[in-house]
Coordinates of all heavy atoms in Angstrom, one line a residue:
Chain Z
D9 N -3.4 12.9 -15.8 CA -3.0 12.2 -14.6 C -4.2 11.5 -13.9 O -4.0 10.4 -13.4 CB -2.5 13.3 -13.6 CG -1.0 13.6 -13.9 OD1 -0.6 13.3 -15.0 OD2 -0.4 14.4 -13.1
G17 N -5.3 2.4 -11.0 CA -6.0 2.0 -9.8 C -6.8 0.7 -10.2 O -6.9 -0.2 -9.4
L18 N -7.5 0.7 -11.4 CA -8.2 -0.5 -11.8 C -7.3 -1.7 -11.9 O -7.7 -2.8 -11.5 CB -8.9 -0.2 -13.1 CG -10.1 0.7 -13.1 CD1 -10.5 1.1 -14.5 CD2 -11.3 0.0 -12.4
G21 N -6.7 -2.9 -8.4 CA -7.8 -3.7 -7.9 C -7.9 -5.0 -8.5 O -8.3 -6.0 -7.9
S23 N -5.4 -6.8 -9.6 CA -4.4 -7.7 -9.1 C -4.8 -8.2 -7.7 O -4.6 -9.4 -7.4 CB -3.1 -6.9 -9.0 OG -3.1 -5.9 -8.0
L28 N -7.1 -12.7 -4.4 CA -8.2 -13.1 -3.5 C -8.9 -14.4 -4.0 O -9.1 -15.4 -3.4 CB -9.2 -12.0 -3.2 CG -10.4 -12.4 -2.3 CD1 -9.9 -12.6 -0.9 CD2 -11.5 -11.4 -2.4
L29 N -9.4 -14.2 -5.3 CA -10.2 -15.3 -5.9 C -9.4 -16.5 -6.2 O -9.9 -17.7 -6.2 CB -11.0 -14.8 -7.1 CG -12.0 -13.7 -6.7 CD1 -12.7 -13.1 -8.0 CD2 -13.1 -14.2 -5.7
G30 N -8.1 -16.3 -6.6 CA -7.2 -17.4 -6.9 C -6.7 -18.1 -5.7 O -6.7 -19.3 -5.6
N31 N -6.1 -17.3 -4.8 CA -5.3 -18.0 -3.7 C -6.0 -17.7 -2.3 O -5.4 -18.1 -1.3 CB -3.9 -17.4 -3.6 CG -3.0 -18.0 -4.7 OD1 -3.5 -18.8 -5.5 ND2 -1.8 -17.6 -4.8
E46 N 10.2 -11.2 8.7 CA 10.0 -11.6 10.1 C 10.1 -13.1 10.2 O 10.2 -13.7 11.3 CB 8.7 -11.1 10.6 CG 8.7 -9.6 10.8 CD 7.3 -9.0 10.8 OE1 6.3 -9.8 11.0 OE2 7.1 -7.8 10.7
E55 N 5.1 -18.5 -2.2 CA 4.2 -17.8 -3.0 C 4.4 -16.3 -2.8 O 4.2 -15.5 -3.8 CB 2.8 -18.2 -2.8 CG 2.2 -18.0 -1.5 CD 0.8 -18.5 -1.3 OE1 0.7 -19.7 -1.1 OE2 -0.2 -17.7 -1.3
A62 N 7.8 -10.6 -8.9 CA 7.1 -9.9 -10.0 C 6.8 -8.5 -9.7 O 6.8 -7.6 -10.6 CB 5.8 -10.7 -10.2
S77 N 11.0 6.5 -15.3 CA 9.9 7.1 -14.6 C 10.5 7.7 -13.3 O 11.3 7.1 -12.7 CB 8.9 5.9 -14.2 OG 8.0 6.4 -13.2
T79 N 10.8 8.9 -9.6 CA 10.2 8.7 -8.3 C 10.3 10.0 -7.5 O 9.6 10.1 -6.5 CB 11.0 7.6 -7.5 OG1 12.3 8.0 -7.3 CG2 10.9 6.3 -8.1
N80 N 11.1 11.0 -7.9 CA 11.3 12.2 -7.2 C 11.5 12.0 -5.7 O 11.1 12.9 -4.9 CB 10.0 13.1 -7.4 CG 9.9 13.7 -8.8 OD1 10.8 14.3 -9.3 ND2 8.8 13.4 -9.4
G92 N 11.1 5.8 6.5 CA 11.0 4.3 6.3 C 10.7 3.5 7.6 O 9.9 2.6 7.6
G98 N 4.8 1.3 11.6 CA 3.4 1.7 11.6 C 2.5 0.7 10.9 O 1.5 0.3 11.4
R100 N 3.0 -2.4 10.3 CA 3.0 -3.8 10.9 C 2.1 -3.7 12.2 O 1.4 -4.6 12.5 CB 4.4 -4.3 11.2 CG 5.2 -4.6 10.0 CD 4.4 -5.6 9.1 NE 4.6 -7.0 9.5 CZ 3.7 -7.9 9.3 NH1 2.6 -7.6 8.6 NH2 3.9 -9.2 9.7
T106 N -1.8 1.0 2.6 CA -2.7 1.5 1.6 C -3.4 0.4 0.9 O -4.6 0.5 0.6 CB -1.9 2.4 0.6 OG1 -0.7 2.8 1.3 CG2 -2.7 3.6 0.2
C112 N -8.2 -3.5 0.0 CA -8.9 -4.7 0.3 C -9.8 -4.6 1.5 O -10.9 -5.2 1.4 CB -7.8 -5.8 0.5 SG -6.8 -6.1 -0.9
S115 N -13.0 -2.2 0.8 CA -13.9 -2.7 -0.2 C -14.8 -3.8 0.4 O -15.8 -4.2 -0.2 CB -13.2 -3.2 -1.4 OG -12.3 -4.3 -1.1
R116 N -14.4 -4.3 1.6 CA -15.3 -5.3 2.3 C -16.0 -4.7 3.5 O -16.5 -5.4 4.3 CB -14.6 -6.6 2.6 CG -13.7 -6.5 3.8 CD -12.8 -7.8 4.0 NE -13.6 -9.0 4.1 CZ -13.1 -10.1 4.6 NH1 -11.8 -10.2 5.0 NH2 -13.8 -11.2 4.7
R120 N -12.1 -2.0 11.0 CA -10.7 -1.7 11.3 C -10.0 -1.0 10.1 O -9.2 -0.1 10.3 CB -9.9 -3.1 11.6 CG -10.1 -3.6 13.0 CD -9.5 -5.0 13.1 NE -8.1 -5.0 12.9 CZ -7.1 -4.7 13.7 NH1 -7.5 -4.3 14.9 NH2 -5.9 -4.7 13.4
S124 N -8.5 2.7 10.2 CA -7.1 2.8 9.9 C -6.8 3.8 8.7 O -6.0 4.7 8.8 CB -6.4 1.5 9.6 OG -5.1 1.6 9.2
Y128 N -4.6 7.1 9.0 CA -3.3 7.4 8.4 C -3.4 8.5 7.3 O -2.5 9.3 7.1 CB -2.7 6.1 7.8 CG -3.3 5.4 6.6 CD1 -3.3 6.0 5.4 CD2 -3.7 4.1 6.7 CE1 -3.8 5.3 4.3 CE2 -4.2 3.4 5.7 CZ -4.3 4.0 4.4 OH -4.8 3.3 3.3
F133 N -2.1 14.2 6.2 CA -2.4 15.6 5.9 C -1.8 16.5 7.0 O -1.2 17.5 6.6 CB -4.0 15.8 6.0 CG -4.7 15.1 4.9 CD1 -6.0 14.5 5.1 CD2 -4.2 15.0 3.6 CE1 -6.7 13.9 4.1 CE2 -4.9 14.3 2.6 CZ -6.2 13.8 2.8
R140 N 5.6 20.9 5.6 CA 5.8 21.8 4.4 C 5.5 23.2 4.7 O 6.2 24.1 4.2 CB 4.9 21.2 3.2 CG 5.1 22.1 2.0 CD 4.4 21.3 0.8 NE 5.3 20.3 0.3 CZ 4.9 19.4 -0.7 NH1 3.7 19.6 -1.3 NH2 5.8 18.5 -1.2
H141 N 4.4 23.5 5.4 CA 3.9 24.9 5.5 C 4.3 25.6 6.8 O 4.3 26.8 6.8 CB 2.4 24.9 5.3 CG 2.0 24.4 3.9 ND1 2.3 25.0 2.7 CD2 1.4 23.2 3.6 CE1 1.8 24.3 1.7 NE2 1.3 23.2 2.2
Chain M
R2 N -0.4 -21.8 -7.2 CA -0.5 -20.7 -6.3 C 0.6 -19.7 -6.6 O 0.4 -18.5 -6.5 CB -0.4 -21.2 -4.8 CG -1.5 -22.0 -4.3 CD -1.4 -22.3 -2.8 NE -1.5 -21.1 -2.1 CZ -2.7 -20.6 -1.6 NH1 -3.7 -21.3 -1.7 NH2 -2.7 -19.5 -0.9
N3 N 1.8 -20.2 -6.9 CA 2.9 -19.3 -7.2 C 2.7 -18.5 -8.4 O 3.0 -17.3 -8.5 CB 4.2 -20.1 -7.3 CG 4.6 -20.8 -6.0 OD1 4.2 -20.4 -5.0 ND2 5.4 -21.9 -6.1
S6 N 0.2 -15.8 -7.7 CA 0.9 -14.8 -6.9 C 1.7 -13.9 -7.8 O 1.8 -12.7 -7.7 CB 1.8 -15.4 -5.8 OG 1.0 -15.8 -4.7
A7 N 2.5 -14.5 -8.7 CA 3.3 -13.8 -9.6 C 2.5 -12.8 -10.6 O 2.9 -11.7 -10.8 CB 4.2 -14.7 -10.4
S9 N -0.4 -11.6 -10.0 CA -1.0 -10.6 -9.2 C 0.1 -9.5 -8.8 O -0.1 -8.3 -8.9 CB -1.6 -11.2 -7.9 OG -2.0 -10.2 -7.0
D24 N 5.6 7.9 -7.8 CA 6.1 9.2 -7.9 C 5.8 9.9 -6.5 O 4.7 10.3 -6.2 CB 5.4 10.0 -9.0 CG 6.0 11.4 -9.1 OD1 6.7 11.9 -8.3 OD2 5.6 12.1 -10.1
T25 N 6.9 10.0 -5.7 CA 6.7 10.5 -4.4 C 6.2 12.0 -4.3 O 5.4 12.3 -3.4 CB 8.0 10.4 -3.5 OG1 9.0 11.2 -4.2 CG2 8.5 9.0 -3.4
K27 N 4.0 13.2 -6.4 CA 2.6 13.2 -6.7 C 1.9 12.8 -5.4 O 0.8 13.4 -5.1 CB 2.4 12.2 -7.8 CG 1.0 12.3 -8.4 CD 1.0 12.0 -9.9 CE -0.3 12.4 -10.5 NZ -0.5 13.8 -10.3
L32 N -1.3 14.5 -0.3 CA -1.3 14.7 1.1 C -1.3 16.2 1.5 O -1.6 16.6 2.6 CB -0.2 14.0 1.8 CG -0.3 12.4 1.8 CD1 0.9 11.8 2.4 CD2 -1.6 12.0 2.5
D33 N -0.9 17.0 0.5 CA -0.8 18.5 0.8 C -2.2 19.1 0.6 O -2.4 20.0 -0.2 CB 0.2 19.1 -0.2 CG 0.6 20.5 0.2 OD1 0.2 20.9 1.3 OD2 1.3 21.2 -0.6
G48 N -10.5 3.6 -8.2 CA -10.4 2.6 -9.3 C -10.0 1.3 -8.7 O -10.4 0.2 -9.2
A49 N -9.2 1.3 -7.7 CA -8.7 0.0 -7.1 C -9.8 -0.7 -6.3 O -9.9 -1.9 -6.2 CB -7.5 0.2 -6.2
M53 N -12.5 -4.8 -6.4 CA -12.5 -5.5 -5.2 C -13.9 -5.6 -4.6 O -14.2 -6.6 -3.9 CB -11.5 -4.9 -4.2 CG -10.1 -5.4 -4.4 SD -9.9 -7.2 -4.4 CE -10.1 -7.6 -2.7
W57 N -15.2 -9.3 -3.6 CA -15.7 -9.8 -2.3 C -17.1 -10.4 -2.5 O -17.5 -11.3 -1.8 CB -15.8 -8.6 -1.3 CG -14.4 -8.3 -0.7 CD1 -13.7 -7.1 -0.8 CD2 -13.6 -9.2 0.0 NE1 -12.5 -7.2 -0.2 CE2 -12.4 -8.4 0.4 CE3 -13.7 -10.5 0.5 CZ2 -11.4 -9.0 1.2 CZ3 -12.7 -11.0 1.3 CH2 -11.5 -10.3 1.6
S66 N -11.7 -20.4 -2.8 CA -11.0 -19.8 -3.9 C -10.8 -20.8 -5.0 O -11.1 -22.0 -4.8 CB -9.7 -19.3 -3.4 OG -8.8 -20.4 -3.1
A67 N -10.2 -20.4 -6.1 CA -9.9 -21.3 -7.2 C -9.0 -22.4 -6.7 O -9.1 -23.6 -7.2 CB -9.3 -20.6 -8.4
A68 N -8.1 -22.1 -5.8 CA -7.2 -23.1 -5.2 C -7.9 -24.0 -4.1 O -7.2 -24.9 -3.6 CB -6.0 -22.4 -4.6
F72 N -12.0 -18.4 2.1 CA -11.6 -17.0 2.1 C -11.3 -16.4 3.5 O -11.9 -16.9 4.5 CB -12.7 -16.1 1.4 CG -12.8 -16.4 -0.1 CD1 -13.9 -17.1 -0.6 CD2 -11.7 -16.1 -0.9 CE1 -14.0 -17.3 -1.9 CE2 -11.8 -16.3 -2.3 CZ -12.9 -17.0 -2.8
P73 N -10.4 -15.5 3.6 CA -10.1 -14.9 5.0 C -11.3 -14.3 5.6 O -12.1 -13.6 5.0 CB -9.0 -13.9 4.7 CG -9.0 -13.6 3.3 CD -9.6 -14.8 2.6
E77 N -12.5 -9.2 13.6 CA -13.4 -8.5 14.6 C -13.2 -7.0 14.5 O -12.0 -6.5 14.3 CB -13.0 -9.0 16.0 CG -13.3 -10.5 16.2 CD -14.8 -10.7 16.3 OE1 -15.5 -9.9 16.9 OE2 -15.3 -11.7 15.7
L79 N -12.2 -4.6 16.1 CA -11.5 -4.2 17.3 C -10.6 -3.0 17.0 O -9.7 -3.1 16.2 CB -10.6 -5.4 17.8 CG -9.6 -5.0 18.9 CD1 -10.4 -4.8 20.2 CD2 -8.7 -6.2 19.1
G87 N -0.3 2.6 15.1 CA 0.3 2.2 13.8 C -0.1 3.0 12.7 O 0.7 3.4 11.9
S88 N -1.4 3.3 12.6 CA -1.9 4.1 11.5 C -1.3 5.5 11.5 O -1.0 6.1 10.5 CB -3.4 4.2 11.5 OG -4.0 2.9 11.5
C101 N 4.5 4.6 0.3 CA 3.9 3.6 1.1 C 4.6 2.3 0.7 O 5.4 2.3 -0.2 CB 2.4 3.6 1.0 SG 1.7 3.5 -0.6
W111 N 14.6 1.4 -10.0 CA 14.9 2.7 -10.6 C 14.8 3.9 -9.7 O 15.0 5.1 -10.1 CB 14.0 2.9 -11.9 CG 12.6 3.3 -11.6 CD1 12.1 4.5 -11.5 CD2 11.5 2.4 -11.4 NE1 10.7 4.5 -11.2 CE2 10.3 3.2 -11.2 CE3 11.3 1.0 -11.4 CZ2 9.0 2.7 -11.0 CZ3 10.0 0.5 -11.2 CH2 8.9 1.3 -11.0
M123 N 12.5 0.7 6.0 CA 11.1 0.2 6.2 C 11.2 -1.2 6.7 O 10.4 -1.6 7.6 CB 10.4 0.3 4.9 CG 8.9 -0.1 5.0 SD 8.1 0.2 3.4 CE 8.4 -1.3 2.5
S130 N 8.8 -3.8 14.8 CA 7.5 -4.1 15.3 C 7.4 -5.4 16.0 O 6.6 -5.6 16.9 CB 6.5 -4.0 14.1 OG 6.5 -5.2 13.4
T131 N 8.2 -6.4 15.5 CA 8.1 -7.7 16.2 C 8.8 -7.6 17.6 O 8.3 -8.3 18.5 CB 8.9 -8.8 15.4 OG1 10.2 -8.4 15.2 CG2 8.3 -9.0 14.0

Side-chain angles (χ1 to χ4, degrees):
Chain Z
D9 280 9
L18 286 168
S23 69
L28 179 71
L29 297 176
N31 286 359
E46 292 157 14
E55 62 185 76
S77 166
T79 59
N80 288 309
R100 292 306 280 153
T106 337
C112 297
S115 63
R116 78 187 303 195
R120 279 174 58 84
S124 175
Y128 71 65
F133 292 145
R140 180 168 283 175
H141 300 291
Chain M
R2 292 188 67 93
N3 294 340
S6 279
S9 174
D24 180 352
T25 61
K27 196 145 192 62
L32 291 175
D33 194 8
M53 279 306 287
W57 282 120
S66 70
F72 291 111
E77 291 293 316
L79 172 69
S88 301
C101 55
W111 75 89
M123 185 173 85
S130 79
T131 62

